[in-house]
């Protein structure tokens, strides 16, 4: 096969796969939280579910961008970094942080914690943790080399 041009495909680093898994986990936790909020919101499911449509659209876009990222797109990696790693993460942290800063008695925050509120808090925690794992994983040395070689 001398003289034949062929391309050598560089295997995807494990860190990129971890980043993709983190993003999928974040999307699943966010969807679970949104669904629980819609069901729990009182009133008819359809009325509260309609308010979740923008969130669903965002999750679909993030999922599509994550697919581009896992296939080597540097632009997708940058979009995810800014969109999910900065804007998205801030949106997840602001509400709980505001509640924590507005109370004088932390025990009071957890005294009336219902099971559904605990599940919501768990979904939010998983969502945040998954993002905090995914974004740095896209910038490990091996991942950085892989993205720049593509």
């Amino acid at each position: 096969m001398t003289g034949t041009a062929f391309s050598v495909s560089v295997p995807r680093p494990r860190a990129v796969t971890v980043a993709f898994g983190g993003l999928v986990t974040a999307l699943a936790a966010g969807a679970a939280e949104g669904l629980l909020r819609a069901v729990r919101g009182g009133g008819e499911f359809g009325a509260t579910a309609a308010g979740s449509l923008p969130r669903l659209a965002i999750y679909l876009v993030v999922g599509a961008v994550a697919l581009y990222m896992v296939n080597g797109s540097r632009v997708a990696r940058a979009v995810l970094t800014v969109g999910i790693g900065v804007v998205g993460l801030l949106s997840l942290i602001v509400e709980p942080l505001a509640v924590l800063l507005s109370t004088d008695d932390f025990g009071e925050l957890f005294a009336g914690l219902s099971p559904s509120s605990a599940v919501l808090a768990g979904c939010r925690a998983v969502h945040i943790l998954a993002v905090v794992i995914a974004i740095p994983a896209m910038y490990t040395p091996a991942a950085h080399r892989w993205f720049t070689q593509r």
Side-chain angles (χ1 to χ4, degrees):
M1 292 214 156
T2 57
T4 305
F6 65 95
S7 65
V8 177
S9 111
V10 178
R12 179 184 320 136
R14 182 178 177 137
V16 175
T17 304
V18 167
F20 181 73
L23 292 167
V24 170
T25 301
L27 289 172
E33 180 183 350
L35 183 61
L36 184 56
R37 285 187 188 276
V39 170
R40 182 179 170 212
E44 297 178 21
F45 176 74
T48 55
S52 299
L53 288 178
R55 190 175 189 174
L56 176 62
I58 290 169
Y59 288 166
L60 289 173
V61 169
V62 169
V65 174
L67 285 171
Y68 279 104
M69 180 278 301
V70 79
N71 287 308
S73 171
R74 287 178 288 188
V75 171
R77 178 176 71 155
V79 167
L80 289 167
T81 300
V82 173
I84 301 303
V86 177
V87 177
L89 197 55
L90 283 174
S91 74
L92 292 171
I93 294 172
V94 166
E95 180 187 354
L97 190 59
V99 170
L100 285 173
L101 294 174
S102 69
T103 188
D104 293 329
D105 182 12
F106 291 113
E108 186 180 299
L109 288 175
F110 301 104
L113 191 65
S114 69
S116 64
S117 294
V119 171
L120 280 172
C123 287
R124 179 68 59 99
V126 167
H127 195 157
I128 291 168
L129 183 60
V131 170
V132 168
I133 290 170
I135 299 303
M138 293 189 300
Y139 290 92
T140 62
H144 183 71
R145 272 191 309 278
W146 185 73
F147 280 111
T148 55
Q149 290 175 354
R150 300 190 66 74

